[in-house]
Amino acid sequence: MSKFFLTSLLYLLCSSLSFAQKIEPTYGQVSYGPHQDMTLNFWKVESKKPTPLLVHIHGGGWLGGKKNETANPNELKKGYSFASIDYRLAGVKLLPAAVHDAARAIQFLRTKAKEWNFDPNRIAVIGGSAGCLLYTSPSPRDKRQSR
């Protein structure tokens, strides 16, 4: 076998192992509201100063989907803390309940900013499909709306 082939194989093996690693949340299954589906997971990045926070809202057409239970270590190395939320699906409570749940989760997270060491003014929200729409929809958010 050539040296190039062995080096490439070793690189691929090491790369795949790093992709397979998953990190459990610092705080898991944290309730942010009265319903059993209103929970979130939070991954805290160790830092001397407050970090930005990236919040993931899952998609699923308001009928399915689930929050992330593990995080990719490569994401956490970027220097921001990470949260992923669950919300009441349409089979449990019709819209706009999910929109209100997403807003409530962000408000709850802001109350934890000091304790969990992130900057409440540096929160970004990501999501696919329904998750993307939930936080961008008109809702009774607090005064610090997304910018």
XYZ file of all heavy atoms in Angstrom, residues 47-141:
725
model
N -16.140 29.737 29.972
C -15.559 31.016 29.586
C -15.549 31.934 30.802
O -16.439 31.856 31.644
C -16.403 31.643 28.459
O -15.940 32.933 28.153
N -14.555 32.813 30.852
C -14.492 33.783 31.945
C -15.513 34.897 31.758
O -15.955 35.498 32.714
C -13.078 34.366 32.052
C -12.060 33.349 32.503
C -10.682 33.964 32.633
C -9.648 32.887 32.784
N -9.302 32.587 34.130
N -15.879 35.153 30.509
C -16.882 36.186 30.247
C -18.101 35.550 29.593
O -18.016 34.458 29.018
C -16.302 37.297 29.366
C -15.860 36.850 28.003
C -15.271 38.007 27.213
C -14.958 37.530 25.801
N -14.547 38.598 24.938
N -19.261 36.218 29.681
C -20.479 35.654 29.078
C -20.320 35.405 27.576
O -19.753 36.213 26.851
C -21.536 36.724 29.355
C -21.033 37.448 30.560
C -19.534 37.453 30.409
N -20.828 34.272 27.150
C -20.725 33.866 25.750
C -22.013 34.213 25.003
O -23.053 34.428 25.616
C -20.526 32.343 25.659
O -21.686 31.684 26.166
C -19.300 31.899 26.414
N -21.966 34.231 23.685
C -23.215 34.302 22.916
C -23.966 32.974 23.098
O -23.380 31.965 23.497
C -22.753 34.457 21.466
C -21.306 34.759 21.518
C -20.791 34.275 22.827
N -25.251 32.979 22.810
C -26.071 31.769 22.914
C -26.756 31.505 21.583
O -27.355 32.407 21.000
C -27.127 31.928 24.011
C -28.156 30.799 24.136
C -27.486 29.477 24.504
C -29.219 31.162 25.157
N -26.669 30.273 21.118
C -27.353 29.829 19.911
C -28.469 28.881 20.332
O -28.227 27.897 21.024
C -26.372 29.109 18.981
C -26.907 28.642 17.640
C -27.368 29.831 16.802
C -25.854 27.857 16.886
N -29.700 29.221 19.962
C -30.863 28.413 20.344
C -31.403 27.710 19.102
O -31.701 28.357 18.094
C -31.967 29.292 20.967
C -33.178 28.431 21.341
C -31.443 30.028 22.189
N -31.532 26.405 19.195
C -32.073 25.594 18.099
C -33.536 25.259 18.398
O -33.860 24.778 19.482
C -31.264 24.306 17.956
C -31.851 23.356 16.975
N -32.607 22.269 17.355
C -31.828 23.343 15.626
C -33.006 21.623 16.281
N -32.550 22.246 15.223
N -34.414 25.525 17.411
C -35.822 25.139 17.506
C -36.072 24.121 16.389
O -35.936 24.451 15.208
C -36.766 26.348 17.367
C -36.417 27.419 18.399
C -38.215 25.899 17.517
C -37.217 28.704 18.261
N -36.424 22.901 16.768
C -36.562 21.824 15.778
C -37.742 22.058 14.836
O -38.715 22.722 15.169
C -36.700 20.460 16.470
C -37.988 20.263 17.196
N -39.169 19.937 16.569
C -38.292 20.337 18.513
C -40.128 19.815 17.462
N -39.619 20.066 18.656
N -37.619 21.478 13.658
C -38.703 21.491 12.687
C -39.567 20.245 12.852
O -39.443 19.515 13.821
N -40.427 20.031 11.881
C -41.296 18.857 11.905
C -42.735 19.170 11.549
O -43.638 18.404 11.852
N -42.953 20.317 10.927
C -44.300 20.672 10.482
C -45.293 20.864 11.610
O -46.486 20.700 11.407
N -44.801 21.185 12.778
C -45.628 21.390 13.983
C -46.291 20.101 14.466
O -47.043 20.110 15.413
C -46.675 22.489 13.799
C -46.068 23.818 13.564
C -45.413 24.582 14.473
C -46.040 24.552 12.357
N -44.978 25.747 13.898
C -45.355 25.753 12.583
C -46.532 24.303 11.078
C -45.147 26.699 11.598
C -46.318 25.242 10.098
C -45.635 26.424 10.358
N -46.002 18.983 13.795
C -46.621 17.712 14.172
C -45.608 16.710 14.723
O -46.001 15.705 15.313
C -47.320 17.090 12.959
C -48.511 17.887 12.421
C -48.991 17.303 11.105
C -49.638 17.911 13.440
N -44.332 16.939 14.515
C -43.301 16.002 14.953
C -42.004 16.721 15.239
O -41.942 17.939 15.236
N -40.977 15.942 15.470
C -39.664 16.499 15.763
C -39.391 16.504 17.258
O -40.276 16.300 18.080
N -38.119 16.719 17.577
C -37.677 16.669 18.959
C -36.414 17.507 19.097
O -35.639 17.633 18.163
C -37.398 15.216 19.316
C -37.124 14.936 20.756
C -37.230 13.449 21.008
C -36.870 13.043 22.404
N -37.186 13.938 23.465
N -36.214 18.054 20.281
C -35.014 18.846 20.534
C -33.776 17.968 20.462
O -33.860 16.745 20.570
C -35.104 19.548 21.888
C -35.002 18.627 23.086
C -35.173 19.433 24.370
C -35.119 18.593 25.607
N -35.924 17.401 25.642
N -32.625 18.593 20.303
C -31.364 17.863 20.299
C -31.068 17.343 21.694
O -31.246 18.058 22.679
C -30.211 18.762 19.856
C -30.315 19.169 18.417
O -31.102 18.641 17.653
N -29.501 20.131 18.018
N -30.613 16.105 21.769
C -30.243 15.511 23.055
C -28.733 15.501 23.255
O -28.252 15.323 24.360
C -30.800 14.092 23.171
C -32.320 14.021 23.127
C -33.006 14.760 24.277
O -32.405 14.897 25.361
O -34.148 15.212 24.085
N -27.978 15.657 22.170
C -26.524 15.759 22.239
C -26.084 16.886 21.319
O -26.834 17.316 20.446
C -25.827 14.449 21.807
O -26.201 14.150 20.464
C -26.182 13.298 22.726
N -24.872 17.374 21.539
C -24.328 18.438 20.695
C -23.012 17.975 20.087
O -22.299 17.148 20.660
C -24.114 19.708 21.516
N -22.702 18.520 18.948
C -21.451 18.231 18.273
C -20.344 19.055 18.923
O -20.472 20.274 19.042
C -21.594 18.590 16.794
C -20.391 18.220 15.984
O -19.251 18.377 16.411
N -20.638 17.741 14.783
N -19.243 18.427 19.342
C -18.176 19.183 19.998
C -17.581 20.277 19.117
O -17.128 21.304 19.619
C -17.133 18.124 20.346
C -17.485 16.910 19.583
C -18.938 17.006 19.235
N -17.616 20.088 17.801
C -17.087 21.116 16.902
C -17.899 22.402 16.986
O -17.363 23.496 16.855
C -17.040 20.607 15.458
C -16.038 19.488 15.295
O -15.001 19.465 15.954
N -16.354 18.540 14.442
N -19.199 22.288 17.192
C -20.041 23.478 17.343
C -19.697 24.227 18.621
O -19.626 25.443 18.645
C -21.521 23.100 17.330
C -22.025 22.625 15.989
C -21.886 23.685 14.903
O -22.237 24.848 15.150
O -21.412 23.337 13.815
N -19.511 23.486 19.702
C -19.232 24.121 20.987
C -17.858 24.784 21.016
O -17.640 25.725 21.764
C -19.372 23.102 22.113
C -20.779 22.509 22.256
C -20.788 21.432 23.320
C -21.803 23.579 22.565
N -16.939 24.317 20.189
C -15.598 24.915 20.130
C -15.617 26.307 19.512
O -14.643 27.028 19.580
C -14.657 24.014 19.327
C -14.285 22.743 20.045
C -13.397 21.879 19.180
C -13.151 20.533 19.825
N -12.427 19.623 18.939
N -16.729 26.691 18.917
C -16.821 28.003 18.275
C -17.015 29.130 19.286
O -17.028 30.290 18.916
C -17.942 28.003 17.237
C -17.640 27.073 16.080
C -18.767 27.026 15.080
C -18.428 26.050 13.960
N -19.538 25.871 13.047
N -17.196 28.777 20.572
C -17.242 29.793 21.612
C -18.612 30.290 22.017
O -18.722 31.283 22.721
N -19.660 29.621 21.580
C -20.988 30.018 22.032
C -21.671 28.846 22.708
O -21.459 27.699 22.371
C -21.859 30.564 20.892
C -21.895 29.736 19.637
C -22.695 28.602 19.537
C -21.143 30.105 18.536
C -22.738 27.845 18.381
C -21.177 29.347 17.375
C -21.966 28.226 17.300
O -21.996 27.491 16.159
N -22.471 29.178 23.714
C -23.279 28.164 24.371
C -24.432 27.802 23.440
O -24.717 28.523 22.480
C -23.799 28.692 25.701
O -22.715 28.877 26.599
N -25.073 26.687 23.715
C -26.077 26.153 22.799
C -27.272 25.648 23.592
O -27.118 25.060 24.661
C -25.450 25.000 21.996
C -26.332 24.388 20.962
C -26.623 25.056 19.791
C -26.882 23.127 21.164
C -27.443 24.476 18.829
C -27.693 22.541 20.206
C -27.971 23.223 19.040
N -28.470 25.911 23.104
C -29.697 25.379 23.705
C -30.572 24.810 22.598
O -30.525 25.270 21.454
C -30.453 26.467 24.459
N -31.366 23.818 22.936
C -32.319 23.228 22.001
C -33.620 23.021 22.758
O -33.616 22.493 23.870
C -31.778 21.900 21.471
O -32.647 21.354 20.492
N -34.736 23.454 22.154
C -36.007 23.424 22.872
C -37.011 22.456 22.243
O -36.981 22.194 21.044
C -36.647 24.826 22.966
C -37.184 25.287 21.604
C -35.680 25.836 23.535
C -38.149 26.461 21.684
N -37.885 21.944 23.093
C -39.096 21.254 22.654
C -40.261 22.199 22.899
O -40.166 23.112 23.728
C -39.321 19.965 23.448
C -38.742 18.740 22.773
O -38.509 18.775 21.552
O -38.524 17.729 23.473
N -41.336 21.982 22.215
C -42.535 22.818 22.356
C -43.756 21.934 22.124
O -43.639 20.809 21.630
C -42.506 23.997 21.379
C -42.241 23.591 19.942
C -43.294 23.229 19.102
C -40.951 23.554 19.425
C -43.059 22.847 17.788
C -40.708 23.172 18.109
C -41.763 22.823 17.301
O -41.539 22.435 16.009
N -44.916 22.423 22.489
C -46.150 21.651 22.290
C -46.438 21.544 20.800
O -46.492 22.545 20.089
C -47.317 22.310 23.010
C -47.185 22.240 24.527
C -48.245 23.029 25.211
N -48.003 24.462 24.985
C -48.833 25.429 25.365
N -49.973 25.135 25.968
N -48.542 26.692 25.127
N -46.608 20.332 20.347
C -46.905 20.090 18.935
C -48.393 20.295 18.674
O -49.212 20.313 19.600
C -46.483 18.672 18.556
C -44.990 18.373 18.740
C -44.715 16.897 18.516
C -44.131 19.238 17.836
N -48.749 20.429 17.402
C -50.137 20.711 17.026
C -51.096 19.610 17.457
O -52.273 19.868 17.680
C -50.237 20.955 15.521
N -50.636 18.387 17.623
C -51.491 17.311 18.098
C -51.850 17.447 19.575
O -52.792 16.832 20.053
N -51.092 18.279 20.291
C -51.335 18.518 21.714
C -52.106 19.813 21.906
O -53.091 19.877 22.632
C -49.992 18.589 22.483
C -50.202 19.004 23.928
C -49.258 17.261 22.391
N -51.648 20.860 21.243
C -52.273 22.188 21.344
C -52.061 22.892 20.003
O -50.941 22.965 19.506
C -51.614 22.973 22.486
C -52.221 24.300 22.776
C -53.518 24.148 23.534
C -54.008 25.530 23.972
N -55.335 25.474 24.524
N -53.125 23.401 19.433
C -53.037 24.030 18.116
C -52.255 25.346 18.167
O -52.094 25.951 19.231
C -54.441 24.283 17.561
C -55.259 23.032 17.242
C -56.660 23.406 16.776
C -54.561 22.171 16.197
N -51.790 25.750 16.994
C -51.122 27.053 16.884
C -52.068 28.132 17.379
O -53.274 27.990 17.206
C -50.727 27.324 15.425
C -49.551 26.497 14.915
C -49.447 26.638 13.409
C -48.263 26.887 15.572
N -51.630 29.155 18.013
C -50.251 29.639 18.116
C -49.506 29.159 19.355
O -48.518 29.776 19.753
C -50.434 31.144 18.151
C -51.684 31.339 18.943
C -52.572 30.169 18.547
N -49.911 28.050 19.982
C -49.252 27.586 21.207
C -47.748 27.386 21.001
O -46.951 27.792 21.848
C -49.902 26.296 21.699
N -47.341 26.781 19.898
C -45.917 26.542 19.658
C -45.143 27.851 19.539
O -44.013 27.960 20.010
C -45.735 25.696 18.401
N -45.753 28.856 18.919
C -45.122 30.179 18.799
C -44.916 30.772 20.192
O -43.842 31.281 20.520
C -45.977 31.131 17.923
C -45.387 32.522 17.897
C -46.123 30.568 16.521
N -45.937 30.674 21.029
C -45.844 31.193 22.394
C -44.808 30.413 23.201
O -44.069 30.994 24.003
C -47.200 31.148 23.077
C -48.204 32.042 22.430
N -49.542 31.999 22.750
C -48.086 32.995 21.474
C -50.195 32.889 22.021
N -49.333 33.497 21.237
N -44.743 29.095 22.984
C -43.756 28.267 23.692
C -42.331 28.688 23.327
O -41.463 28.779 24.195
C -43.950 26.790 23.373
C -45.240 26.223 23.941
O -45.967 26.942 24.665
O -45.514 25.037 23.650
N -42.079 28.918 22.050
C -40.738 29.326 21.617
C -40.346 30.652 22.265
O -39.234 30.812 22.767
C -40.676 29.429 20.096
N -41.278 31.599 22.279
C -41.000 32.897 22.906
C -40.763 32.726 24.402
O -39.860 33.330 24.979
C -42.156 33.859 22.655
N -41.558 31.876 25.036
C -41.411 31.641 26.474
C -40.056 30.998 26.782
O -39.416 31.319 27.786
C -42.546 30.760 26.972
C -42.531 30.566 28.469
C -43.704 29.720 28.917
N -43.784 29.751 30.365
C -44.900 29.747 31.044
N -46.056 29.716 30.409
N -44.884 29.753 32.341
N -39.616 30.084 25.929
C -38.315 29.438 26.131
C -37.186 30.472 26.079
O -36.275 30.442 26.912
C -38.091 28.349 25.077
N -37.255 31.398 25.119
C -36.230 32.442 25.018
C -36.278 33.337 26.254
O -35.239 33.690 26.826
C -36.409 33.275 23.735
C -36.297 32.385 22.489
C -35.404 34.428 23.691
C -34.981 31.703 22.284
N -37.458 33.702 26.682
C -37.588 34.517 27.893
C -37.026 33.780 29.107
O -36.315 34.370 29.926
C -39.055 34.890 28.130
C -39.586 35.872 27.115
C -41.098 36.037 27.201
O -41.806 35.201 27.751
N -41.594 37.141 26.645
N -37.323 32.493 29.231
C -36.788 31.696 30.329
C -35.263 31.666 30.278
O -34.588 31.836 31.303
C -37.350 30.267 30.281
C -36.677 29.346 31.250
C -37.082 29.307 32.574
C -35.644 28.517 30.844
C -36.458 28.458 33.480
C -35.007 27.669 31.736
C -35.412 27.636 33.063
N -34.727 31.427 29.088
C -33.267 31.386 28.951
C -32.641 32.701 29.416
O -31.617 32.693 30.096
C -32.867 31.071 27.509
C -33.011 29.602 27.119
C -32.990 29.443 25.604
C -31.917 28.755 27.780
N -33.261 33.819 29.065
C -32.723 35.115 29.504
C -32.652 35.207 31.029
O -31.766 35.849 31.567
C -33.544 36.258 28.936
C -33.242 36.521 27.481
C -33.821 37.868 27.036
N -33.354 38.160 25.695
C -34.136 38.181 24.622
N -35.431 37.951 24.736
N -33.632 38.446 23.437
N -33.585 34.579 31.735
C -33.543 34.606 33.202
C -32.371 33.795 33.747
O -31.972 33.977 34.891
C -34.844 34.082 33.850
O -34.954 32.659 33.644
C -36.071 34.808 33.320
N -31.836 32.890 32.948
C -30.721 32.034 33.355
C -29.366 32.568 32.879
O -28.334 31.941 33.133
C -30.910 30.616 32.804
C -32.103 29.892 33.384
C -31.861 29.608 34.845
C -32.895 28.668 35.418
N -32.631 28.419 36.840
N -29.350 33.689 32.200
C -28.126 34.198 31.575
C -26.953 34.326 32.547
O -25.845 33.869 32.253
C -28.397 35.532 30.884
N -27.174 34.946 33.673
C -26.072 35.137 34.619
C -25.598 33.794 35.182
O -24.394 33.511 35.212
C -26.504 36.079 35.742
C -25.378 36.436 36.666
C -25.765 37.546 37.620
C -24.544 37.919 38.443
N -24.680 39.196 39.075
N -26.539 32.973 35.614
C -26.206 31.673 36.200
C -25.493 30.760 35.205
O -24.563 30.032 35.563
C -27.497 31.006 36.682
C -27.319 29.652 37.308
C -28.654 29.008 37.690
O -29.686 29.716 37.746
O -28.653 27.793 37.923
N -25.923 30.782 33.946
C -25.349 29.900 32.936
C -24.276 30.587 32.092
O -23.771 30.019 31.128
C -26.451 29.340 32.044
C -27.382 28.399 32.768
C -27.260 27.930 34.049
C -28.579 27.823 32.257
N -28.303 27.089 34.353
C -29.137 27.009 33.278
C -29.252 27.911 31.049
C -30.309 26.282 33.110
C -30.422 27.192 30.876
C -30.944 26.387 31.896
N -23.919 31.813 32.445
C -22.809 32.568 31.856
C -22.922 32.791 30.340
O -22.005 32.504 29.585
C -21.464 31.915 32.181
C -20.308 32.861 31.908
O -20.417 34.062 32.099
N -19.192 32.307 31.454
N -24.063 33.315 29.909
C -24.165 33.768 28.518
C -24.763 35.174 28.518
O -25.373 35.615 29.481
C -24.973 32.800 27.638
C -26.427 32.686 27.978
C -27.359 33.570 27.426
C -26.888 31.698 28.825
C -28.703 33.460 27.734
C -28.223 31.578 29.127
C -29.141 32.474 28.587
N -24.548 35.871 27.423
C -24.991 37.255 27.274
C -26.442 37.268 26.774
O -26.704 36.840 25.645
C -24.076 37.982 26.295
C -24.378 39.451 26.138
O -25.497 39.896 26.509
O -23.510 40.169 25.627
N -27.394 37.774 27.569
C -28.798 37.753 27.150
C -29.097 38.664 25.965
O -30.147 38.557 25.349
C -29.546 38.223 28.401
C -28.559 39.051 29.138
C -27.218 38.406 28.877
N -28.156 39.527 25.614
C -28.330 40.407 24.454
C -27.673 39.850 23.199
O -27.694 40.499 22.156
C -27.772 41.799 24.767
C -28.546 42.454 25.887
O -29.777 42.482 25.868
N -27.834 42.937 26.876
N -27.079 38.665 23.301
C -26.411 38.038 22.157
C -26.968 36.629 21.965
O -26.271 35.646 22.093
C -24.898 38.023 22.364
C -24.313 39.425 22.411
C -22.839 39.423 22.745
N -22.072 38.745 21.712
C -20.851 38.256 21.925
N -20.276 38.361 23.100
N -20.208 37.653 20.949
N -28.252 36.569 21.664
C -28.930 35.292 21.432
C -29.332 35.221 19.961
O -29.969 36.136 19.446
C -30.179 35.147 22.323
C -29.773 35.147 23.805
C -30.939 33.868 21.975
C -30.953 35.124 24.762
N -28.951 34.138 19.318
C -29.363 33.887 17.935
C -30.221 32.630 17.932
O -29.998 31.713 18.721
C -28.148 33.695 17.039
N -31.223 32.601 17.054
C -32.133 31.465 16.971
C -32.007 30.843 15.586
O -32.016 31.542 14.577
C -33.591 31.913 17.227
C -34.543 30.737 17.116
C -33.707 32.569 18.595
N -31.878 29.518 15.555
C -31.820 28.780 14.299
C -32.866 27.676 14.340
O -33.330 27.291 15.408
C -30.425 28.172 14.033
C -30.052 27.167 15.140
C -29.374 29.252 13.885
C -28.841 26.334 14.834
N -33.210 27.189 13.174
C -34.140 26.067 13.097
C -34.475 25.787 11.652
O -34.233 26.607 10.775
N -35.034 24.636 11.430
C -35.450 24.269 10.091
C -36.954 24.140 10.038
O -37.601 23.825 11.033
N -37.520 24.441 8.896
C -38.944 24.245 8.667
C -39.759 24.989 9.709
O -39.612 26.194 9.875
C -39.256 22.738 8.649
O -40.582 22.502 8.289
N -40.595 24.285 10.454
C -41.449 24.926 11.464
C -40.618 25.633 12.531
O -40.997 26.690 13.022
C -42.354 23.889 12.121
N -39.476 25.070 12.879
C -38.620 25.675 13.897
C -38.139 27.054 13.510
O -38.030 27.950 14.348
N -37.869 27.236 12.234
C -37.448 28.547 11.739
C -38.591 29.553 11.855
O -38.392 30.702 12.241
C -36.997 28.423 10.298
S -36.510 29.971 9.542
N -39.780 29.108 11.545
C -40.928 30.016 11.562
C -41.401 30.381 12.966
O -41.957 31.448 13.177
C -42.093 29.391 10.796
C -41.894 29.279 9.301
C -43.046 28.503 8.674
C -41.768 30.641 8.661
N -41.166 29.498 13.924
C -41.711 29.730 15.256
C -41.219 31.015 15.901
O -41.989 31.742 16.509
C -41.419 28.547 16.183
C -42.283 27.342 15.943
C -41.900 26.207 16.878
C -43.753 27.668 16.085
N -39.938 31.296 15.784
C -39.451 32.497 16.449
C -39.566 33.742 15.586
O -39.510 34.849 16.081
C -38.024 32.333 16.966
C -37.743 33.361 18.029
C -38.372 33.270 19.268
C -36.919 34.437 17.793
C -38.176 34.221 20.247
C -36.708 35.401 18.770
C -37.345 35.282 19.998
O -37.148 36.246 20.958
N -39.770 33.576 14.304
C -39.920 34.753 13.443
C -41.370 35.174 13.291
O -41.654 36.235 12.771
C -39.318 34.499 12.038
O -39.970 33.377 11.455
C -37.823 34.256 12.125
N -42.302 34.339 13.767
C -43.726 34.680 13.695
C -44.070 35.750 14.718
O -43.448 35.819 15.770
C -44.577 33.438 13.986
O -44.323 32.446 13.045
N -45.068 36.572 14.426
C -45.497 37.560 15.424
C -45.971 36.850 16.692
O -46.711 35.882 16.616
C -46.666 38.270 14.743
C -46.514 37.981 13.298
C -45.818 36.652 13.193
N -45.477 37.300 17.830
C -45.850 36.681 19.102
C -45.639 37.681 20.224
O -45.009 38.712 20.026
C -45.017 35.425 19.351
O -43.677 35.779 19.630
N -46.113 37.368 21.404
C -45.935 38.279 22.533
C -44.538 38.172 23.147
O -44.374 37.841 24.297
C -47.014 37.805 23.515
C -47.173 36.361 23.218
C -46.950 36.235 21.727
N -43.491 38.428 22.318
C -42.119 38.385 22.834
C -41.874 39.583 23.727
O -42.562 40.582 23.658
C -41.123 38.389 21.681
C -41.155 37.114 20.873
C -39.936 37.010 20.002
N -39.982 37.805 18.811
C -40.546 37.460 17.663
N -41.172 36.320 17.580
N -40.491 38.234 16.628
